[in-house]
Amino acid sequence: MQDTLEEMCPNVNIVARQAGDTPEGGLEIVESVLAAYPDLQVVVASNDSGGIGGYQAMVNAGYTGDDPVAVFAGDATDEALNAMLEDNTIYRGTVDLFPYACGYESAYQLVYYILNGKPAETKTVIFDPVLVPLADLLDGTYEYDPE
């Protein structure tokens, strides 16, 4: 993520890089980063759990969708998608990693190995993630039913 961010935004100034893969961890980390860098503009989390915590820290600090700030993460969890649907949100994007399809394929390969033994060649299955920018969620390009 850092390599891509630096490539796409060459003027980016990364002020912290910490593991906070839970809402509590993301909240604690972003609160401490905001204390040191009150002009923090972007939070990028490796999963939506940490992103939700970072989002809450930014909201607690008074940021709204009118501010030039954003939170991005990955997993397209219901909690993140619902945060993206809030009025005046700063949760501006996530990535759908297709957990059902990945889980199904993993279970399928496991059963195959049990029944047939390990194949001579290792099979690699790559699932392309789907970006979920706020605009796609709001205009229906990315279909989501919060019910």
Side-chain angles (χ1 to χ4, degrees):
M1 288 189 300
Q2 182 174 337
D3 290 347
T4 300
L5 185 59
E6 289 172 338
E7 179 183 322
M8 295 182 76
C9 305
N11 296 325
V12 70
N13 180 22
I14 296 174
V15 297
R17 183 177 171 179
Q18 300 177 40
D21 294 335
T22 64
E24 300 79 17
L27 176 69
E28 183 179 320
I29 289 167
V30 174
E31 283 177 338
S32 69
V33 172
L34 279 168
Y37 301 94
D39 59 344
L40 180 69
Q41 294 178 310
V42 177
V43 172
V44 179
S46 62
N47 63 37
D48 280 330
S49 292
I52 287 294
Y55 167 74
Q56 193 59 56
M58 298 289 280
V59 168
N60 291 350
Y63 289 106
T64 70
D66 294 329
D67 294 308
V69 299
V71 174
F72 300 96
D75 293 335
T77 64
D78 285 343
E79 193 172 11
L81 293 169
N82 286 324
M84 289 173 66
L85 290 171
E86 290 177 4
D87 289 337
N88 217 13
T89 189
I90 60 168
Y91 209 115
R92 305 200 193 261
T94 187
V95 178
D96 190 337
L97 302 174
F98 295 110
Y100 178 82
C102 294
Y104 177 88
E105 183 64 28
S106 296
Y108 179 86
Q109 293 301 318
L110 177 63
V111 170
Y112 180 89
Y113 282 26
I114 291 170
L115 295 176
N116 302 303
K118 183 177 177 183
E121 287 189 35
T122 301
K123 178 180 176 183
T124 300
V125 178
I126 297 174
F127 294 91
D128 292 327
V130 173
L131 300 178
V132 186
L134 181 57
D136 287 0
L137 185 60
L138 294 176
D139 72 12
T141 300
Y142 179 83
E143 295 181 23
Y144 172 64
D145 181 10
E147 299 299 318

